[in-house]
């Protein structure tokens, strides 16, 4: 009897140890966010204004972490999408792509509409002065048509190697003369398009394509192993990235006094969309509560907040969903596409920012203008790169729709870095929930398709592909 009592008494302790062990990285990453905040505020209040070089020293460990993650993006993106598409038959690929695109389009439109409703109701810019709100930002004169044309051009890069480093942008020189040049930054849209076409071709080749498919599957697996090594540095990287940003910031109390209502409007919109709209769509589609899944994404969300980059967070998101038992073929297709085109938080922020600036300028917007802002913010969010503060660049396109000068983007620059981290977190959460949703809708199709592709699966995927496997 005593032995049984001892065993029973030891079980809770062993469970707690197992829980802490399995969630240690998550706890450390969340601790890194709070530790970075505490360190940044402490250093900011303990000395004279910090120079750029001193801030650079603080940010250095975080920069190294970001560089490691960004190094994985291109090989992981290409190999994941190609292997995912290539291992499915064409009809299954079409179904998954269709479901993912419908989900992304629906959530983006909902985000824009929610943002417009909030900014029109709260009116954060009404009756406020704009003279002392300016900041520094790099802008370029650009037309909406140019941005949309660049979006399509980037889908078809002339050089796939060049697409890993540059993307094309138009610059109007005169009314009729336009020049194009390649600007620094990975052309993710072009790489996604190339990977989808290549994966479709490999799937169509069947037996002949298996050696090439095996190459991409092995590369994808190798990238995930390297990711599992890199993410153990994430608590340290996130800590120093957050601390450095706080040191760069001017007086937060003063900034909130000037842009407080705008900041609160965007934050309210992001929270309502992330934990309201997306959760409702998730429940109506899967008949499951989203919050238990969100709780399992703590480390992913903390990394997204710390880095401010959905692309840099992508390897960690894929690994997290793999651990949750989501079909790897769905994860490796939906997540890279979502990190490229699905920017709900950015779409909401750009709609709110454009109308906020119009309110500051006392410009009355008609219903037609608001509809134009909605469409443009949706298109701009698709074209935004998954890098920190990329929304500021596409923001110029939205301002042009309302007839506001590009320089007005400097009005919101003071709080953009912080809002950028919150909207990136919502973007990543939306991508992950979308993957779970598509996996749930495709479960029957995937179980049937798995029988013809068991020989292509990795050993750990064979368990996940069983038809009777629970989610």
């Amino acid at each position: 009897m005593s032995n049984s009592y001892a065993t029973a008494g030891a079980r809770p302790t062993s469970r707690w140890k197992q829980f802490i062990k399995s969630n240690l990285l998550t706890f450390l990453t969340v601790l890194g966010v709070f530790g970075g905040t505490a360190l940044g505020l402490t250093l900011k209040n303990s000395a004279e204004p910090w120079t750029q070089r001193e801030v650079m020293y603080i940010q250095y460990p975080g920069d190294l972490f970001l560089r490691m993650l960004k190094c994985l993006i291109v090989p992981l993106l290409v190999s994941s999408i190609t292997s995912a598409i290539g291992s499915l038959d064409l009809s299954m690929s079409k179904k998954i792509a269709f479901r993912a695109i419908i989900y992304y389009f629906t959530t983006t439109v909902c985000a824009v509409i929610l943002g417009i409703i909030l900014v029109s109701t709260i009116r954060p810019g009404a009756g406020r002065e704009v003279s002392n709100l300016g900041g520094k930002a790099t802008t370029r004169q650009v037309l909406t048509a140019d941005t949309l044309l660049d979006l399509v051009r980037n889908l078809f890069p002339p050089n796939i190697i060049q697409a890993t480093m540059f993307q094309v942008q138009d610059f109007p020189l005169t009314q009729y003369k336009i020049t194009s040049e390649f600007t620094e930054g990975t052309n993710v849209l072009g790489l996604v398009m190339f990977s989808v076409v290549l994966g479709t071709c490999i799937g169509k080749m069947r037996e002949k394509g298996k050696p090439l498919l095996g190459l991409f599957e092995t590369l994808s697996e190798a990238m995930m192993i390297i990711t599992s090594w890199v993410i153990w540095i994430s608590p340290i990287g996130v800590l120093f990235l957050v601390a450095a940003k706080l040191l760069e910031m001017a007086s937060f109390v003063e900034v909130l006094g000037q842009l407080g209502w705008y900041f609160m409007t965007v934050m309210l919109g992001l929270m309502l969309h992330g934990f309201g709209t997306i959760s409702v769509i998730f429940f109506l589609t899967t008949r499951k509560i989203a919050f238990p899944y969100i709780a399992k994404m703590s480390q992913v969300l903390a990394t997204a907040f710390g880095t401010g980059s959905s692309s840099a967070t992508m390897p960690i998101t894929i690994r997290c969903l793999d651990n949750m038992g989501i079909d790897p073929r769905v994860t490796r297709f939906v997540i890279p596409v979502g990190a490229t085109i699905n920017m709900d938080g950015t779409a909401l922020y750009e709609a709110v920012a454009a109308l906020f600036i119009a309110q500051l300028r006392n410009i009355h917007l008609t219903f037609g203008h608001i509809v134009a802002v909605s469409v443009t913010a949706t298109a701009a969010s698709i074209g935004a790169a998954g890098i920190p503060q990329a929304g500021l660049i596409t923001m110029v396109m939205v301002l042009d729709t309302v007839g506001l000068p590009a320089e007005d983007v400097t009005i919101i620059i003071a709080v953009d870095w912080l809002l950028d981290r919150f909207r990136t977190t919502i973007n990543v959460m939306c991508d992950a929930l979308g993957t779970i949703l598509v996996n749930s809708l495709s479960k029957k199709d995937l179980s049937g398709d798995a029988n013809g592709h068991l020989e292509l699966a990795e050993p750990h995927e064979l368990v996940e592909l069983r038809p009777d496997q629970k989610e």
Side-chain angles (χ1 to χ4, degrees), residues 259-314:
L259 296 170
W261 280 106
Y262 163 73
F263 182 88
M264 294 306 298
T265 302
V266 176
M267 285 298 300
L268 178 61
L270 292 175
M271 294 302 106
L272 287 177
H273 181 68
F275 298 98
T277 307
I278 297 176
S279 299
V280 169
I281 292 174
F282 186 87
F283 176 76
L284 293 177
T285 309
T286 65
R287 300 300 177 187
K288 296 176 183 176
I289 304 298
F291 297 109
Y293 294 100
I294 296 174
K296 294 178 182 179
M297 302 174 197
S298 303
Q299 196 231 333
V300 174
L301 301 181
T303 304
F305 181 86
T307 61
S309 171
S310 54
S311 294
T313 312
M314 183 178 66

Side-chain angles (χ1 to χ4, degrees), residues 114 314 359:
L114 176 62
M314 183 178 66
Q359 291 170 3

Side-chain angles (χ1 to χ4, degrees), residues 104 107-116 119 147 151 262 265-267 269-271 273-274 278 304 308-311 338-355 373-399 409 412 416-431:
Y104 290 148
T107 55
T108 301
V109 170
C110 288
V112 172
I113 293 174
L114 176 62
I116 289 176
V119 74
T147 305
L151 184 64
Y262 163 73
T265 302
V266 176
M267 285 298 300
L270 292 175
M271 294 302 106
H273 181 68
I278 297 176
S309 171
S310 54
S311 294
T340 305
I341 68 172
N342 183 48
M343 302 287 178
D344 290 1
T346 303
L348 184 147
Y349 142 82
E350 291 185 344
V352 172
L355 298 186
V373 168
S374 305
V375 174
T376 312
T378 302
S381 67
I382 295 173
I387 58 176
Q389 293 183 284
L392 279 179
I393 300 172
T394 54
M395 186 70 227
V396 176
M397 168 180 163
V398 184
L399 292 178
V409 76
I412 59 174
D416 182 75
W417 74 269
L418 184 56
L419 288 176
D420 178 58
R421 276 157 169 71
F422 283 107
R423 64 180 184 255
T424 299
T425 304
I426 295 300
N427 290 342
V428 170
M429 188 178 80
C430 181
D431 293 345

Side-chain angles (χ1 to χ4, degrees), residues 70-345:
K70 289 179 179 179
C71 181
L72 299 174
I73 292 174
V74 171
L76 179 61
L77 184 145
V78 174
S79 62
S80 295
I81 295 181
T82 304
S83 60
I85 296 289
S87 62
L88 293 168
D89 60 42
L90 294 183
S91 61
M92 189 68 254
S93 299
K94 291 177 183 176
K95 290 178 182 178
I96 291 177
F98 178 76
R99 289 163 182 159
I101 291 172
I102 289 295
Y103 169 80
Y104 290 148
F105 179 77
T106 302
T107 55
T108 301
V109 170
C110 288
V112 172
I113 293 174
L114 176 62
I116 289 176
I117 291 174
L118 288 176
V119 74
S120 300
T121 304
I122 300 174
R123 296 186 61 79
R128 300 186 181 277
E129 298 293 331
V130 299
S131 57
N132 60 340
L133 292 181
K136 293 182 179 179
T138 302
T139 62
R140 64 184 180 98
Q141 193 61 40
V142 57
L143 300 178
T144 302
D146 296 332
T147 305
L148 294 176
L149 290 173
D150 285 345
L151 184 64
V152 179
R153 284 192 187 98
N154 282 316
L155 280 172
F156 307 99
N159 185 322
I160 193 62
I161 303 300
Q162 186 183 46
T164 63
M165 297 175 284
F166 299 97
Q167 51 186 313
V168 69
Q169 284 185 346
D170 277 344
F171 294 89
L173 300 179
T174 64
Q175 186 174 359
Y176 299 103
K177 188 177 180 182
I178 296 176
T179 182
S180 295
E181 67 177 42
F182 286 93
T183 58
E184 188 174 350
T186 304
N187 180 6
V188 180
L189 281 175
L191 294 176
V192 168
M193 176 62 77
F194 174 80
S195 302
V196 169
V197 173
L198 180 58
T200 303
C201 179
I202 292 174
K204 208 170 175 57
M205 293 172 67
R206 298 185 181 276
E207 292 297 324
K208 289 183 179 179
K210 283 186 178 179
L212 186 55
L213 177 63
L215 170 66
F216 283 107
E217 286 182 331
T218 304
L219 178 60
S220 175
E221 190 70 21
M223 289 302 102
M224 292 310 301
I225 293 173
I226 296 175
T227 299
S228 67
W229 298 341
V230 172
I231 60 174
W232 281 101
I233 312 173
S234 59
I236 300 173
V238 166
L239 186 148
F240 286 102
L241 284 172
V242 172
K245 280 298 178 184
L246 285 172
L247 290 176
E248 288 179 345
M249 185 182 64
S251 172
F252 192 63
V253 175
E254 181 180 345
V255 169
L256 277 186
Q258 297 170 336
L259 296 170
W261 280 106
Y262 163 73
F263 182 88
M264 294 306 298
T265 302
V266 176
M267 285 298 300
L268 178 61
L270 292 175
M271 294 302 106
L272 287 177
H273 181 68
F275 298 98
T277 307
I278 297 176
S279 299
V280 169
I281 292 174
F282 186 87
F283 176 76
L284 293 177
T285 309
T286 65
R287 300 300 177 187
K288 296 176 183 176
I289 304 298
F291 297 109
Y293 294 100
I294 296 174
K296 294 178 182 179
M297 302 174 197
S298 303
Q299 196 231 333
V300 174
L301 301 181
T303 304
F305 181 86
T307 61
S309 171
S310 54
S311 294
T313 312
M314 183 178 66
I316 299 175
T317 309
I318 292 176
R319 184 176 181 273
C320 175
L321 291 175
D322 282 348
N323 293 337
M324 290 166 62
I326 306 303
D327 193 299
R329 295 169 297 175
V330 177
T331 303
R332 282 157 175 74
F333 173 63
V334 178
I335 287 296
V337 173
T340 305
I341 68 172
N342 183 48
M343 302 287 178
D344 290 1

